[in-house]
Amino acid sequence: MDLIARGTSGYTKKKRDETLQQYIRRLTHLYLENKNIDDIGEDLSFCRNLIVLYLYDNQLNRVPCLNSNCSLTHLYLQNNNISKIENLGALGRLQKLYLGGNSITVLEGLEKQHHLQELHVENQRLPAGEQLLFDPRSLRTLSQSLQILNISGNSLTSIRDLDCLLSLTQLLASDNQLSDMKELAHLLGGPWKYMTRLDLQGNPLCMRAKYKDRVIVMGKYLEVLDGKNITETTRQFLLNWHASREVTRKKTQDNLMRQDTFSAATNGSHAGDLPPVRSAVSRQTSVSGYIMPGLPRKQFDDILAKSNFPDQEISRKTRSGVMRAKFSLKLPRIHSKAVMSPRAPTTFVFHLH
């Protein structure tokens, strides 16, 4: 009783005509931190009006039984030897619970904490290779009330189980093993869309390219990221950058869709062949000249023998550095009903200048 009486802040003083029990009964804040306490027992049952209890930095092996302290709103139990969350059923008004630096392996025993707003379970002394686990029943109870959660230093590889915490505005999850950026995007874009403070320092995902830029774009209401304030200028710049990237990405997708549609139409055609290539004769139609129709070799030789083919008169005069030749050619009229020989026809092309 004397220890409890001395655990006041000095603002609450014992009156002269007041007994020790009466004095203890009206205490609202009790400071029992770093007193080498390993058990409380029923000694706090007289503190019926207790609101804030400091029991951190002691040797407690379990959460004290505080059934008589139903008015408690703040409970500080960090840095003890607690391995299980229990004995909190009677504390229906509890708003802040500090359990960091203990040996808790499962976040449980909070099924009746419907008004809990802050929960600190950072840096638990876990067995090698294990990580902090979350009881779904406790998470469902906290889904509408919990606003601040500290789970730093607990070897966590995923926080997807926390997506039911719809009122969460501050998450401290530094020094874990979080690496999934898609998981974070899902949480910030859905159940945690009103997150204002996020601390992920010391996680593998912090090494990703443009990590902070992407997180700021995903968290529209973020004010503090990894301990640094986010200015409105920075946010607006990153939002504009993200919008321009989305426009570029959409254009690229539209182009790919059009290409896929064209390929599907081509592959679905009846012929399935490439368009026909222009023939050599059709490509030569633009060349000025005369194309003699194909004739049998013998008939061509006869025509050539009868023709008057004078010697070539070559002019050696040069105009603009170009040698020009003059040809004089008279071709006889060929009867259109000539008999075709079975031998292959021969085609000659004359270019006339």
Side-chain angles (χ1 to χ4, degrees), residues 32-33 148 209 231 234 239 249 269-270 352:
L32 298 175
E33 72 278 4
I148 301 174
T231 63
T234 301
L239 288 176
R249 185 180 62 83
S269 60
H270 297 290
L352 306 182

PDB file of all heavy atoms in Angstrom, residues 32-33 148 209 231 234 239 249 269-270 352:
ATOM      1  N   LEU A  32       4.252   3.117 -11.588  1.00  0.00           N
ATOM      2  CA  LEU A  32       4.974   2.008 -10.976  1.00  0.00           C
ATOM      3  C   LEU A  32       6.000   1.430 -11.940  1.00  0.00           C
ATOM      4  O   LEU A  32       6.342   0.255 -11.862  1.00  0.00           O
ATOM      5  CB  LEU A  32       3.982   0.917 -10.539  1.00  0.00           C
ATOM      6  CG  LEU A  32       2.958   1.327  -9.475  1.00  0.00           C
ATOM      7  CD1 LEU A  32       1.970   0.196  -9.219  1.00  0.00           C
ATOM      8  CD2 LEU A  32       3.651   1.749  -8.178  1.00  0.00           C
ATOM      9  N   GLU A  33       6.537   2.247 -12.820  1.00  0.00           N
ATOM     10  CA  GLU A  33       7.526   1.762 -13.780  1.00  0.00           C
ATOM     11  C   GLU A  33       8.882   1.612 -13.123  1.00  0.00           C
ATOM     12  O   GLU A  33       9.237   2.336 -12.184  1.00  0.00           O
ATOM     13  CB  GLU A  33       7.618   2.718 -14.976  1.00  0.00           C
ATOM     14  CG  GLU A  33       8.291   4.038 -14.705  1.00  0.00           C
ATOM     15  CD  GLU A  33       7.379   5.077 -14.070  1.00  0.00           C
ATOM     16  OE1 GLU A  33       6.218   4.736 -13.772  1.00  0.00           O
ATOM     17  OE2 GLU A  33       7.833   6.229 -13.882  1.00  0.00           O
ATOM     18  N   ILE A 148      -4.288   3.362 -34.450  1.00  0.00           N
ATOM     19  CA  ILE A 148      -2.823   3.368 -34.456  1.00  0.00           C
ATOM     20  C   ILE A 148      -2.330   1.970 -34.091  1.00  0.00           C
ATOM     21  O   ILE A 148      -2.735   1.417 -33.059  1.00  0.00           O
ATOM     22  CB  ILE A 148      -2.263   4.400 -33.464  1.00  0.00           C
ATOM     23  CG1 ILE A 148      -2.764   5.803 -33.815  1.00  0.00           C
ATOM     24  CG2 ILE A 148      -0.743   4.371 -33.454  1.00  0.00           C
ATOM     25  CD1 ILE A 148      -2.372   6.868 -32.804  1.00  0.00           C
ATOM     26  N   ALA A 209      12.631   0.685 -56.845  1.00  0.00           N
ATOM     27  CA  ALA A 209      12.783   1.950 -57.573  1.00  0.00           C
ATOM     28  C   ALA A 209      11.567   2.844 -57.337  1.00  0.00           C
ATOM     29  O   ALA A 209      10.428   2.385 -57.418  1.00  0.00           O
ATOM     30  CB  ALA A 209      12.965   1.665 -59.066  1.00  0.00           C
ATOM     31  N   THR A 231       4.891  17.333 -48.359  1.00  0.00           N
ATOM     32  CA  THR A 231       4.335  18.646 -48.680  1.00  0.00           C
ATOM     33  C   THR A 231       3.297  18.521 -49.782  1.00  0.00           C
ATOM     34  O   THR A 231       3.298  17.563 -50.570  1.00  0.00           O
ATOM     35  CB  THR A 231       5.445  19.605 -49.124  1.00  0.00           C
ATOM     36  OG1 THR A 231       6.044  19.105 -50.343  1.00  0.00           O
ATOM     37  CG2 THR A 231       6.525  19.710 -48.057  1.00  0.00           C
ATOM     38  N   THR A 234       4.921  18.492 -53.291  1.00  0.00           N
ATOM     39  CA  THR A 234       5.439  17.175 -53.664  1.00  0.00           C
ATOM     40  C   THR A 234       4.317  16.252 -54.098  1.00  0.00           C
ATOM     41  O   THR A 234       4.421  15.542 -55.107  1.00  0.00           O
ATOM     42  CB  THR A 234       6.201  16.552 -52.481  1.00  0.00           C
ATOM     43  OG1 THR A 234       7.283  17.406 -52.110  1.00  0.00           O
ATOM     44  CG2 THR A 234       6.744  15.183 -52.847  1.00  0.00           C
ATOM     45  N   LEU A 239       1.368  13.359 -58.340  1.00  0.00           N
ATOM     46  CA  LEU A 239       0.070  12.999 -58.926  1.00  0.00           C
ATOM     47  C   LEU A 239       0.042  13.334 -60.419  1.00  0.00           C
ATOM     48  O   LEU A 239      -0.483  12.563 -61.232  1.00  0.00           O
ATOM     49  CB  LEU A 239      -1.059  13.725 -58.187  1.00  0.00           C
ATOM     50  CG  LEU A 239      -1.369  13.234 -56.770  1.00  0.00           C
ATOM     51  CD1 LEU A 239      -2.429  14.112 -56.122  1.00  0.00           C
ATOM     52  CD2 LEU A 239      -1.824  11.779 -56.792  1.00  0.00           C
ATOM     53  N   ARG A 249       0.601   4.903 -70.797  1.00  0.00           N
ATOM     54  CA  ARG A 249       0.340   3.468 -70.718  1.00  0.00           C
ATOM     55  C   ARG A 249      -0.938   3.098 -71.464  1.00  0.00           C
ATOM     56  O   ARG A 249      -0.998   2.083 -72.156  1.00  0.00           O
ATOM     57  CB  ARG A 249       0.224   3.053 -69.259  1.00  0.00           C
ATOM     58  CG  ARG A 249       0.064   1.546 -69.040  1.00  0.00           C
ATOM     59  CD  ARG A 249      -0.053   1.245 -67.554  1.00  0.00           C
ATOM     60  NE  ARG A 249      -1.222   1.861 -66.982  1.00  0.00           N
ATOM     61  CZ  ARG A 249      -2.443   1.320 -67.037  1.00  0.00           C
ATOM     62  NH1 ARG A 249      -2.627   0.167 -67.657  1.00  0.00           N
ATOM     63  NH2 ARG A 249      -3.475   1.929 -66.493  1.00  0.00           N
ATOM     64  N   SER A 269      -8.655 -14.606 -92.374  1.00  0.00           N
ATOM     65  CA  SER A 269      -9.094 -14.511 -93.759  1.00  0.00           C
ATOM     66  C   SER A 269      -9.128 -15.894 -94.396  1.00  0.00           C
ATOM     67  O   SER A 269      -8.440 -16.824 -93.978  1.00  0.00           O
ATOM     68  CB  SER A 269      -8.162 -13.593 -94.550  1.00  0.00           C
ATOM     69  OG  SER A 269      -6.856 -14.119 -94.525  1.00  0.00           O
ATOM     70  N   HIS A 270      -9.927 -16.046 -95.513  1.00  0.00           N
ATOM     71  CA  HIS A 270     -10.108 -17.352 -96.168  1.00  0.00           C
ATOM     72  C   HIS A 270      -8.843 -17.782 -96.865  1.00  0.00           C
ATOM     73  O   HIS A 270      -8.461 -18.954 -96.826  1.00  0.00           O
ATOM     74  CB  HIS A 270     -11.275 -17.278 -97.157  1.00  0.00           C
ATOM     75  CG  HIS A 270     -12.584 -16.981 -96.464  1.00  0.00           C
ATOM     76  ND1 HIS A 270     -13.208 -17.894 -95.648  1.00  0.00           N
ATOM     77  CD2 HIS A 270     -13.349 -15.860 -96.457  1.00  0.00           C
ATOM     78  CE1 HIS A 270     -14.330 -17.373 -95.181  1.00  0.00           C
ATOM     79  NE2 HIS A 270     -14.434 -16.128 -95.650  1.00  0.00           N
ATOM     80  N   LEU A 352      13.329   3.605-127.238  1.00  0.00           N
ATOM     81  CA  LEU A 352      13.518   4.569-128.335  1.00  0.00           C
ATOM     82  C   LEU A 352      13.789   5.941-127.734  1.00  0.00           C
ATOM     83  O   LEU A 352      13.087   6.398-126.840  1.00  0.00           O
ATOM     84  CB  LEU A 352      12.272   4.599-129.193  1.00  0.00           C
ATOM     85  CG  LEU A 352      11.808   3.229-129.742  1.00  0.00           C
ATOM     86  CD1 LEU A 352      10.579   3.411-130.613  1.00  0.00           C
ATOM     87  CD2 LEU A 352      12.937   2.583-130.556  1.00  0.00           C
TER      88      LEU A 352
END
